[in-house]
């Protein structure tokens, strides 16, 4: 039986929304015919994922992350595409007795009865993000009728037989398949015997296709035309970009070419224009770390740095945490390169170095705009670092990123940028270092058993072991759902260096990083590896994956 509690009140109890935000949404509803849940999303108060989670709790149903789901063809074939599209549902799986269907309209009895009649199965509703359901219904029904992989292989066969092919269509198919498989980067690499297509999925390159070498130059030329690059220039690197549409969704592609001994190597970064805002829990942060991060982001002043290498999810973490800042009561300003997510009630600006609007100019301008919170996309040089630190000690909360390997390594890095130790200690609130690890595929993971003694020998610390008296461990297997990788999706592992009075004194006294790290661990700081091992014992990922990304 569903709880009769209003969705707004439930979202507030879950910590997704504040009382003031509910009041603002109710005011907006007086001028808008939309449902309250839709208004919350329009105002960026909650994500569509959070709405779905609340509906699942409200109706005592299972919530599923649509990004982790690959529907079975058998389930899709039971429900016509037009029904799935018009009723915002997606068939997930089917067995002898039940058809599992993702929806957000859990009380739609008409759809429930219709599905039961056409499938001759009992219907089990699970709750998913409504926007994601619509997106994946488009993608997977399209794939059911037009198998992309089969079409690509057929075009390769035609080329080998000497037939002409529709080259622009082949490029489109490679892009469509990348979008379907949630790819972030596409690599087109020529070698002596073939041109190879690699897709980066969840941070790891996977080989997909080997194409006849004679197609490589034609594919390169097609991509360069789309990117407005010089097709006659093959001796020097070029950078470009173009927009692409697949199933009514827009994507940006950033293109880089590089001359090699076998031809031009091409890398395309795939960016969805309408990326949804993530929550800290969606990023995979533990409840303890989520609360810590939320607490930092409500402080009145100081600087919080999110650090890690390129591709470690720093920007996503910053934006997820930024949603916890009360932008109805605080003047929040950002300088970004480029603006990746759009927020209501936040003043967002974009870097324009040609016009002289860089991070330094932005911080100076912000100081005249009565700011409470400033997000500086990245600290790249000494001047930006000093301006950000000085802003943090004059009554402003400053959020930024920096490229360092771990939390404590950020302190000497700031010293390299000529920031005096006393300024570093007094300005810093906290340093969050992170990496992204792949999550086990829920479809094929296999349970394993290890004793506490074996886990301890593996390097799991006693404080992590003590939190898991009965650990749940799995190993990666591999199936068609995860392209035989054993993993689907990613989660963040983090370490948080809290700059308390003791650490601040040590920084001012120029203590070594090892001395600071020792005291931080004594005060309860968990390393990234410990956070990763915690996720292993929860059955989220594997030891192999943690050791792949953390030394």
């Amino acid at each position: 039986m569903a709880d009769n509690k209003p969705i707004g009140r439930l979202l507030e109890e879950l910590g997704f929304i504040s009382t003031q935000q509910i009041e603002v949404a109710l005011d907006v509803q007086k001028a808008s015919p939309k449902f309250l849940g839709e208004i919350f999303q329009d105002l960026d108060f909650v994500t569509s994922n959070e709405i779905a989670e609340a509906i699942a709790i409200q109706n005592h149903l299972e919530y599923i992350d649509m990004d982790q789901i690959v529907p079975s063809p058998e389930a899709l074939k039971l429900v016509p595409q037009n029904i799935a599209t018009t009723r915002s549902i997606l068939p997930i799986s089917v067995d002898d007795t039940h058809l599992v269907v993702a929806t957000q309209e859990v009380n739609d009895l008409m759809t429930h009865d219709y599905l039961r009649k056409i499938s001759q199965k009992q219907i089990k509703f699970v709750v998913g993000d409504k926007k994601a359901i619509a997106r994946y219904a488009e993608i997977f029904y399209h794939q059911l009728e037009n198998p992309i992989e089969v079409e690509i292989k057929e075009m390769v066969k035609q080329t080998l037989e000497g037939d002409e092919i529709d080259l622009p269509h082949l490029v489109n198919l490679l892009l469509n398949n990348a979008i379907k498989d949630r790819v972030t980067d596409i690599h087109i690499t020529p070698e002596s015997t073939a041109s190879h297509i690699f897709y980066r999925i969840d941070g790891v390159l996977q080989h997909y296709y080997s194409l006849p070498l004679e197609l490589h130059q034609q594919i390169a030329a097609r991509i360069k035309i789309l990117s407005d690059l010089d097709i006659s220039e093959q001796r020097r690197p070029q950078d470009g970009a173009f927009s692409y549409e697949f199933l009514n969704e827009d994507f940006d592609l950033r293109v880089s070419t590089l001359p090699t001994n076998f031809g031009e190597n091409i890398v395309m970064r795939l960016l969805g224009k309408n990326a949804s805002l993530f929550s800290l829990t969606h990023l995979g942060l533990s409840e303890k770390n989520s609360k810590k991060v939320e607490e930092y982001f409500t402080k009145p002043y100081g600087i919080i740095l999110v650090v890690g290498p390129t591709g470690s999810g720093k920007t996503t973490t910053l934006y997820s945490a930024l949603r916890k800042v009360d932008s109805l009561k605080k003047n929040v300003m950002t300088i970004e390169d480029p603006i990746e997510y759009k927020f209501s009630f936040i003043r967002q600006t974009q870097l324009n170095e040609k016009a002289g609007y860089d991070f330094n100019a932005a911080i100076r301008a912000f100081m005249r705009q009565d700011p409470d919170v400033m997000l500086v996309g990245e600290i790249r040089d000494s001047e930006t670092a000093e301006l950000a630190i000085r802003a943090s000690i004059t009554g402003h909360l400053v959020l930024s990123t920096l490229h360092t390997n771990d939390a404590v390594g950020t302190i000497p890095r700031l010293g390299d940028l000529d920031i005096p130790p006393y300024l570093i200690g007094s300005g810093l609130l906290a340093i969050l270092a992170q990496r992204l690890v792949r999550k086990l595929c829920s479809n094929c993971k296999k349970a394993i058993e290890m004793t506490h003694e074996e886990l301890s020998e593996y390097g799991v610390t006693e404080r992590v072991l003590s939190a898991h008296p009965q650990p749940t461990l799995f190993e990666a297997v591999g199936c068609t759902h995860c392209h035989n990788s054993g993993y689907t999706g990613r989660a963040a592992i983090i370490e948080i260096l809290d700059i308390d009075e003791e650490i601040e004194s040590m920084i001012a006294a120029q203590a070594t990083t090892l001395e600071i790290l020792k005291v931080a661990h004594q005060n309860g700081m968990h390393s990234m590896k410990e956070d990763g091992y915690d996720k292993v014992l929860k059955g989220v990922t594997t030891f192999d994956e943690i050791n792949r990304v953390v030394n």
Side-chain angles (χ1 to χ4, degrees):
M1 181 180 289
D3 293 335
N4 293 321
K5 196 172 293 179
I7 190 71
R9 202 56 58 198
L10 185 57
L11 288 165
E12 184 181 15
E13 287 180 8
L14 291 169
F16 293 154
I17 203 166
S18 68
T19 302
Q20 188 180 10
Q21 288 173 325
I22 294 173
E23 291 170 356
V24 170
L26 288 169
D27 279 344
V28 172
Q29 194 178 39
K30 293 173 185 175
S32 168
K34 291 185 177 182
F35 291 113
L36 198 59
E38 293 177 293
I39 293 171
F40 287 144
Q41 291 176 67
D42 289 345
L43 295 173
D44 297 325
F45 291 161
V46 295
T47 69
S48 48
N49 268 323
E50 289 167 341
I51 290 281
E53 286 183 55
I55 290 172
I57 292 168
Q58 191 177 45
N59 291 276
H60 309 290
L61 293 173
E62 180 187 357
Y63 165 78
I64 59 169
D65 181 354
M66 295 304 298
D67 290 337
Q68 305 295 310
I69 298 300
V70 178
S72 73
E74 295 76 21
L76 292 170
K77 288 173 183 175
L78 285 176
V79 181
Q81 181 178 1
N82 65 314
I83 297 297
T85 303
T86 56
R87 304 198 182 191
S88 298
I89 60 175
L90 181 62
I92 298 295
S93 62
V94 62
D95 59 24
D96 292 341
T97 57
H98 285 83
L99 173 65
V100 179
V101 178
T103 182
Q104 210 172 86
E105 308 300 329
V106 295
N107 297 312
D108 186 348
L109 298 180
M110 188 180 298
T111 297
H112 187 280
D113 290 344
Y114 172 81
L115 291 171
R116 188 163 47 83
K117 286 176 184 175
I118 65 166
S119 68
Q120 297 297 301
K121 309 279 184 186
Q122 293 297 312
I123 305 303
K124 179 187 175 185
F125 277 161
V126 293
V127 185
D129 174 352
K130 189 172 184 177
K131 291 179 181 177
I133 288 172
R135 178 174 187 260
Y136 287 127
E138 288 272 3
I139 288 174
F140 287 113
Y141 274 105
H142 180 274
Q143 172 70 3
L144 192 66
E145 298 298 322
N146 310 277
I148 297 170
E149 296 93 338
V150 173
E151 200 170 348
I152 290 172
K153 288 173 182 175
E154 183 59 35
M155 294 184 84
V156 170
K157 182 182 174 185
Q158 289 174 2
T159 302
L160 292 173
E161 291 173 352
D163 297 336
E164 288 287 322
I165 64 167
D166 184 346
L167 199 286
H169 183 56
L170 174 59
V171 172
N172 288 350
L173 288 173
L174 294 173
L175 294 174
N176 296 349
N177 204 38
I179 293 166
K180 173 181 72 72
D181 287 350
R182 309 176 181 114
V183 169
T184 55
D185 300 87
I186 305 167
H187 291 238
I188 305 175
T189 302
E191 292 293 341
S192 58
T193 56
S195 178
H196 299 279
I197 308 297
F198 293 87
Y199 289 158
R200 189 177 293 280
I201 301 173
D202 296 330
V204 177
L205 278 179
Q206 296 186 33
H207 184 273
Y208 263 61
Y209 305 107
S210 294
L211 306 180
L213 194 58
E214 57 264 33
L215 286 178
H216 183 81
Q217 194 167 344
Q218 298 175 56
I219 291 172
R222 172 62 183 166
I223 292 169
K224 288 164 84 171
I225 288 168
L226 290 171
S227 311
D228 199 25
L229 300 178
D230 184 352
I231 61 171
S232 65
E233 178 56 76
Q234 299 177 22
R235 297 167 299 175
R236 63 179 179 86
Q238 296 187 70
D239 295 313
F242 66 96
S243 295
Y244 183 75
E245 183 181 299
F246 178 52
L247 298 177
N248 302 313
E249 186 170 2
D250 292 326
F251 296 85
D252 283 334
L253 287 106
R254 297 177 190 168
V255 178
S256 171
T257 71
L258 184 75
T260 72
N261 52 337
F262 293 115
E264 288 182 286
N265 193 71
I266 297 169
V267 176
M268 293 184 281
R269 168 65 57 90
L270 189 59
L271 302 166
K273 286 186 175 179
N274 299 313
S276 63
L277 302 176
F278 297 114
S279 65
L280 293 174
T281 50
H282 188 84
L283 286 169
L285 268 62
S286 66
E287 185 178 350
K288 179 182 176 183
N289 281 338
S290 287
K291 285 181 178 177
K292 252 188 184 180
V293 173
E294 286 180 31
E295 185 182 328
Y296 288 129
F297 280 74
T298 57
K299 297 287 186 182
Y301 57 85
I303 185 166
I304 300 167
L305 293 176
V306 182
V307 304
T310 302
S312 58
K314 299 187 297 295
T315 303
T316 306
T317 297
L318 264 187
Y319 283 129
S320 299
L322 189 62
R323 292 184 54 243
K324 296 299 180 180
V325 175
D326 189 351
S327 57
L328 293 174
K329 293 181 177 178
K330 293 183 177 180
N331 180 17
V332 183
M333 313 193 73
T334 76
I335 171 66
E336 305 167 53
D337 181 28
I339 294 173
E340 293 187 39
Y341 305 109
K342 293 179 175 62
F343 293 83
S344 299
F345 304 106
I346 289 178
R347 272 56 69 187
Q348 294 176 265
T349 69
Q350 185 160 310
L351 207 68
N352 187 344
E353 291 184 342
K354 288 183 180 177
Y357 188 60
D358 56 13
F359 288 122
N360 303 331
I363 295 172
R364 289 191 176 94
F366 288 176
M367 296 297 281
R368 298 189 291 273
Q369 288 277 313
D370 185 30
D372 294 297
V373 181
M374 295 188 283
L375 185 150
V376 180
E378 184 182 344
I379 291 178
R380 295 177 179 171
D381 54 45
S382 300
E383 189 177 1
T384 306
E386 184 173 352
L387 286 169
I389 293 269
R390 291 196 180 279
S392 74
I393 61 176
T394 54
H396 307 90
L397 183 64
V398 180
L399 321 172
S400 194
T401 67
L402 193 65
H403 289 271
T404 60
N405 287 327
D406 54 20
V408 74
T410 305
I411 295 166
R413 174 72 181 121
L414 289 170
D416 291 342
L417 291 172
D418 299 324
I419 307 300
Y422 75 91
L423 272 185
I424 297 173
S426 59
L428 279 173
L429 267 177
I431 303 167
L432 285 68
Q434 72 175 61
R435 299 287 189 281
L436 294 176
V437 296
R438 293 180 296 171
K439 296 193 287 186
L440 281 158
C441 172
S442 58
N443 189 64
C444 64
K445 64 184 181 181
K446 181 182 174 184
I448 57 171
E449 290 186 8
M450 291 180 74
T451 65
H452 269 226
E453 290 73 22
E454 290 172 322
L455 291 169
S456 183
E457 288 173 9
Y458 206 92
V460 182
T461 60
E462 187 56 42
R463 59 181 174 179
V464 173
L465 283 172
S466 62
H468 299 277
Q470 293 182 310
T472 306
L473 290 97
F474 295 89
E475 63 181 359
V477 178
C479 64
T480 54
H481 286 199
C482 60
H483 305 287
N484 294 312
S485 70
Y487 301 91
T488 309
R490 289 191 287 179
I493 58 171
I494 70 169
E495 62 184 24
I496 303 174
L497 178 61
D498 181 26
I499 311 299
D500 56 21
E501 288 185 6
E502 186 176 7
I503 299 292
E504 180 182 341
S505 298
M506 293 182 75
I507 293 171
Q510 300 186 46
T512 67
T513 54
L514 285 176
E515 291 168 337
I516 293 171
L517 192 59
K518 183 180 179 180
V519 169
H521 282 156
Q522 288 171 352
N523 292 346
M525 173 184 168
H526 280 225
S527 68
M528 265 188 289
K529 183 161 275 191
E530 285 181 300
D531 190 38
Y533 284 171
D534 180 71
K535 285 180 169 56
V536 173
L537 300 191
K538 288 177 180 174
V540 175
T541 188
T542 63
F543 284 118
D544 287 344
E545 184 62 10
I546 300 303
N547 294 331
R548 181 182 69 84
V549 299
V550 184
N551 292 330

